[in-house]
Amino acid sequence: MPFLGQDWRSPGWSWIKTEDGWKRCESWSQELERQSNPCNVSHSIILNSADEEIFNNEEHEYASKKRKKDHFRNDANTQCFYRERWIYVHKESTKERHGYCTLGEAFNRLDFSSAIQDIRRFNYVVRLLQLIAKSQLTSLSGVAQKNYFNILDKIVQKVLDDHQNPRLIKDLLQDLSSTLGILIRGVGKSVLVGNINIWICRLETILNWQQQLQNLQMTKQVDGGLTLSDLPVHMLSNILYRLSDGWDIVTLGQVTPTLSMLSEDRHLWKKLCQYHFAEKQFCRHLILSEKGHIEWKLMYFVLQKHYPTKEQYGDTLHFCRHCSILFWKDSGHPCTAADPGSCFTPVSPQHFIDLFKF
């Protein structure tokens, strides 16, 4: 007799012994849905006495289930959660596993909603959302789209509350609005999963977010403690040398006159160019001043337009080459290798996108 299951190595369902016999345990997602569903209201409140005489018990149960299902499906603030924060990446069917893993499925399983609360992972998630907005938006399923925009909403609200990283989010929203504008104007020529009116509403929401960020005012903190102005010059210089983004250096240089002077240091911009770009790239875009000196600051921004810069993140997703599993290193995964640490590879945002290209 042929085996009809997806994986013959699966441990099977979880069962519990009761007085009436063995019963199968409910899945974790169904339990979460039942607990978090605000529409779990008794029939006596929703239906009047006349309705109760019309509907029998079976019809009551069917109406209640349908009402819950429709609410859960249409609630834009509802996300899909999974207990495991890792996903097996497979691109083709095997005897043990059928189908393949999609970008949207990985996006749903890896708990990016919690990752944005971690300062080490915030920039990583934002960059990943930006790459998806540029090229992979049409590949997301309906559930993945819902999770994508819910996470984006949390990111915007976080920036509005703590006033940190507004420039990153502005760039993300600009790329997303440009992509959506092109897709909506070219509807029929490209595939957009979902109703066109939903995408128009999402575009309006993005424009509203952009307006809120544009009107964001940085409040000056008056706590009487130590400030940047109180630090010695050599410490301020060390802070600037540890920044890997030219725009961060320019922004920090606007804080005080001392920082403005330090941010124009030619050696600082030379080190930044040497960190991000190769010497061959310098020769192609060499910029000299009237005195014959190399304008390293101008060269950095010119080179940035032509070549990608190195990306630094406090924490990233990891890929286990032995198990073919994508996971957060803190959460781990059930690795079967003898030396698990030797199988882990950090995954950049672009590598994450490339894993799901077929």
Side-chain angles (χ1 to χ4, degrees):
M1 181 176 178
F3 180 73
L4 302 179
Q6 288 191 350
D7 189 351
W8 56 270
R9 299 173 299 185
S10 173
W13 297 103
S14 298
W15 298 81
I16 186 172
K17 189 174 183 179
T18 63
E19 296 179 356
D20 300 330
W22 288 91
K23 292 185 177 181
R24 196 179 74 192
C25 296
E26 291 186 2
S27 65
W28 183 76
S29 59
Q30 291 177 351
E31 182 181 353
L32 178 62
E33 177 182 345
R34 184 179 65 252
Q35 293 177 356
S36 61
N37 196 337
C39 285
N40 189 12
V41 187
S42 63
H43 303 299
S44 59
I45 298 177
I46 299 176
L47 303 175
N48 55 31
S49 58
D51 293 328
E52 291 180 348
E53 295 176 359
I54 297 174
F55 291 100
N56 56 29
N57 292 333
E58 293 182 357
E59 290 173 336
H60 273 283
E61 184 178 357
Y62 173 77
S64 176
K65 287 183 178 180
K66 186 176 186 303
R67 196 161 46 245
K68 292 179 182 179
K69 185 176 181 180
D70 290 342
H71 174 79
F72 188 75
R73 179 180 299 169
N74 296 328
D75 185 6
N77 294 322
T78 303
Q79 289 183 245
C80 294
F81 298 94
Y82 294 85
R83 179 175 297 176
E84 299 86 4
R85 297 183 181 182
W86 52 265
I87 186 169
Y88 178 82
V89 181
H90 56 291
K91 296 186 177 182
E92 57 185 8
S93 298
T94 63
K95 292 181 180 180
E96 294 83 11
R97 294 181 181 271
H98 296 277
Y100 55 90
C101 179
T102 63
L103 174 64
E105 185 180 358
F107 190 79
N108 294 337
R109 292 287 296 271
L110 292 172
D111 192 23
F112 289 107
S113 182
S114 299
I116 62 174
Q117 304 301 329
D118 190 335
I119 190 172
R120 300 171 303 164
R121 300 175 180 174
F122 183 83
N123 290 2
Y124 181 83
V125 176
V126 171
R127 177 58 179 165
L128 184 58
L129 294 182
Q130 190 173 19
L131 291 177
I132 293 176
K134 287 182 177 180
S135 60
Q136 301 296 320
L137 199 60
T138 56
S139 65
L140 297 181
S141 64
V143 175
Q145 291 173 19
K146 184 187 296 183
N147 285 350
Y148 181 95
F149 283 94
N150 282 333
I151 293 172
L152 189 57
D153 182 29
K154 291 183 178 180
I155 289 176
V156 173
Q157 296 307 319
K158 177 179 173 59
V159 172
L160 292 175
D161 292 339
D162 57 24
H163 296 178
Q164 295 181 10
N165 300 306
R167 180 173 56 83
L168 293 177
I169 312 306
K170 288 179 181 179
D171 293 341
L172 167 59
L173 294 179
Q174 181 60 41
D175 292 335
L176 183 57
S177 61
S178 299
T179 303
L180 273 184
I182 295 173
L183 293 175
I184 290 174
R185 287 194 298 270
V187 63
K189 300 178 182 179
S190 59
V191 179
L192 270 177
V193 179
N195 192 302
I196 186 63
N197 294 324
I198 295 178
W199 286 103
I200 293 175
C201 291
R202 287 171 176 169
L203 181 57
E204 293 176 352
T205 302
I206 294 170
L207 297 176
N208 184 34
W209 286 337
Q210 288 179 312
Q211 187 63 40
Q212 293 181 38
L213 291 173
Q214 193 67 28
N215 298 332
L216 181 63
Q217 297 292 332
M218 299 295 181
T219 56
K220 186 177 180 179
Q221 298 181 357
V222 183
D223 52 7
L226 189 68
T227 64
L228 285 174
S229 303
D230 301 323
L231 297 177
V233 175
H234 72 276
M235 292 187 66
L236 295 176
S237 180
N238 287 337
I239 292 174
L240 288 170
Y241 270 88
R242 293 180 183 275
L243 297 177
S244 61
D245 191 329
W247 284 111
D248 290 339
I249 295 176
V250 173
T251 303
L252 187 58
Q254 299 173 354
V255 176
T256 65
T258 303
L259 285 170
S260 177
M261 177 192 65
L262 293 174
S263 65
E264 297 295 331
D265 183 14
R266 293 180 62 253
H267 190 261
L268 169 66
W269 290 99
K270 179 181 178 180
K271 288 289 186 181
L272 193 63
C273 289
Q274 291 175 341
Y275 173 76
H276 287 287
F277 310 107
E279 290 186 9
K280 292 182 179 179
Q281 297 169 344
F282 295 161
C283 299
R284 296 174 185 174
H285 303 277
L286 195 62
I287 302 176
L288 299 176
S289 65
E290 296 179 355
K291 297 180 179 180
H293 300 302
I294 300 177
E295 295 286 353
W296 291 106
K297 182 177 180 180
L298 293 178
M299 277 187 59
Y300 170 81
F301 291 106
V302 171
L303 292 169
Q304 191 182 38
K305 295 179 180 179
H306 294 86
Y307 308 103
T309 57
K310 291 183 180 179
E311 297 177 353
Q312 284 185 330
Y313 303 103
D315 190 17
T316 67
L317 287 169
H318 283 68
F319 182 74
C320 180
R321 298 187 301 274
H322 177 78
C323 306
S324 295
I325 286 179
L326 195 63
F327 64 99
W328 291 107
K329 193 172 183 179
D330 290 350
S331 304
H333 77 287
C335 186
T336 58
D339 185 12
S342 62
C343 305
F344 299 167
T345 303
V347 178
S348 67
Q350 186 59 54
H351 185 197
F352 178 89
I353 301 296
D354 294 338
L355 281 174
F356 303 97
K357 286 184 179 179
F358 303 100

